[in-house]
Amino acid sequence: MRRFLPDTFTLLLVLTVALASQLPISGAPAAWFSVATKVAIAVLFFLHGARLSRDVVVAGILHWRLHIVILAVTFGVFPLLGLGIGFAVKDMLPPTLFIGFLYLCTLPSTVQSSIAFTSMAGGNVPAAICAASASNLAGMILTPLLCGLLLQAGGHSGVSMDAVLQIFTQLLLPFIAGQILQPWIGDWVRARKKLLMPIDRGSILMVVYGAFSEAVIEGVWHNFSLGDLGLVVVLDMALLAFVLAFTMFGSRALGFSREDEITITFCGSKKSLASGVPMANAIFAGQPVGAIVLPIMLFHQIQLMACAVIAQRYARKAVEDAPVAVSVK
């Protein structure tokens, strides 16, 4: 049963939302906290750039067919599904949750969990590292563009150029700086993964606390019912189930190896909370960001539980299919 329980980070997210609900930050402290959060996010993406070695980039370029499939699912299949599912229930969802669901479908893949599940299942780990990193890099450009198109199709205003510029300066520039310095600091950063993990998770918790503090002050919990949240959970589950089946069976139909199938399944079906929340702050500035990111926060836990089960099944299947060595006396 442990694989169905929330992970530590998810529990911290819940506690952060609870803290923001009871003790929201506002006024001058909120302004200073916002500055500190932006600095923490910039450091986070700088470290992402510093961790990605040039060897992984080269390996990814050589395995271009796999990466095209993952990018096509992440930024093509997902948004189309979001439009179809979203419009089917548009009148049943509050506008902010509808916007949040569409936004979820435009996000890049996760990095850490995609790699971890690929490794657990016995997939192509180098390809997963490159695919997840490439997805996040592409997402800094494609997510605001796709989000603008989907929102306009849904009858909402698009994404401003100021939001795109803010994403570029806060996320992309630090990533590029980290990649430039990677030959000198990359080994040092990769060797201290556990030491630097609090920066990864802490920066996201800071963004969530700030976003939900603002949403609570605006009365977010008075605007949604349990039925609204339950419908979002059902939509998230349906979206994930379809994409998992699509990537799994689609990669087999395209003739990919078992290792590449695992990589496509896990990298193609994920949506990044780490990238999604900071970008939401830029894209939806002045709007109830805390409510808008609720669908991705729920999707985050659902994808972790589902992929944990699938990864373990892949691992067991690999053991069952392995040839048994026969000793000859």
Side-chain angles (χ1 to χ4, degrees), residues 162-186:
D162 287 341
V164 176
L165 182 61
Q166 186 174 339
I167 291 171
F168 178 80
T169 54
Q170 189 180 353
L171 307 184
L172 186 56
L173 282 183
F175 183 92
I176 293 172
Q179 184 61 194
I180 291 173
L181 294 176
Q182 187 275 330
W184 296 278
I185 66 173

Side-chain angles (χ1 to χ4, degrees), residues 1-6 301 304-306 308-309 312 316:
M1 293 295 296
R2 289 183 61 187
R3 64 175 177 255
F4 294 104
L5 296 176
Q301 178 57 31
L304 290 181
M305 291 190 296
V309 175
Q312 290 172 1
R316 285 197 300 269

Side-chain angles (χ1 to χ4, degrees), residues 12-13 19 21 34 51 79 109 123 148 154 156 159 171 175 186 218 222 230 236 247 270 281 283 286 294 314:
L12 289 174
L13 281 172
L19 178 63
S21 299
S34 176
R51 286 173 183 158
S109 179
H156 297 273
V159 176
L171 307 184
F175 183 92
E218 294 173 355
H222 301 291
D236 281 354
T247 51
K270 296 283 198 314
N281 270 343
I283 293 173
L294 266 175
Y314 268 120

Side-chain angles (χ1 to χ4, degrees), residues 306-324:
C307 290
V309 175
I310 294 172
Q312 290 172 1
R313 283 194 168 187
Y314 268 120
R316 285 197 300 269
K317 189 69 165 57
V319 173
E320 293 169 0
D321 294 344
V324 178

Side-chain angles (χ1 to χ4, degrees), residues 228-316:
D228 294 332
L229 298 178
L231 179 56
V232 172
V233 170
V234 171
L235 294 178
D236 281 354
M237 293 174 66
L239 181 67
L240 179 63
F242 183 93
V243 176
L244 281 170
F246 184 85
T247 51
M248 189 180 299
F249 296 109
S251 56
R252 293 177 190 175
L254 291 172
F256 283 98
S257 66
R258 177 186 177 278
E259 290 76 15
D260 288 346
E261 173 194 322
I262 291 171
T263 303
I264 292 171
T265 298
F266 289 124
C267 293
S269 63
K270 296 283 198 314
K271 289 297 180 180
S272 175
L273 182 67
S275 296
V277 179
M279 283 196 283
N281 270 343
I283 293 173
F284 303 106
Q287 301 183 51
V289 176
I292 291 172
V293 299
L294 266 175
I296 178 58
M297 291 181 63
L298 294 170
F299 191 87
H300 170 80
Q301 178 57 31
I302 294 169
Q303 70 183 4
L304 290 181
M305 291 190 296
C307 290
V309 175
I310 294 172
Q312 290 172 1
R313 283 194 168 187
Y314 268 120
R316 285 197 300 269

Side-chain angles (χ1 to χ4, degrees), residues 177-252:
Q179 184 61 194
I180 291 173
L181 294 176
Q182 187 275 330
W184 296 278
I185 66 173
D187 291 338
W188 185 89
V189 172
R190 286 187 290 270
R192 288 158 179 80
K193 183 178 179 181
K194 291 184 178 180
L195 181 65
L196 298 174
M197 186 177 292
I199 298 176
D200 282 6
R201 298 187 171 186
S203 59
I204 304 306
L205 294 176
M206 290 174 69
V207 175
V208 169
Y209 178 68
F212 267 90
S213 290
E214 186 176 346
V216 167
I217 292 172
E218 294 173 355
V220 62
W221 297 125
H222 301 291
N223 299 328
F224 304 139
S225 66
L226 288 177
D228 294 332
L229 298 178
L231 179 56
V232 172
V233 170
V234 171
L235 294 178
D236 281 354
M237 293 174 66
L239 181 67
L240 179 63
F242 183 93
V243 176
L244 281 170
F246 184 85
T247 51
M248 189 180 299
F249 296 109
S251 56
R252 293 177 190 175

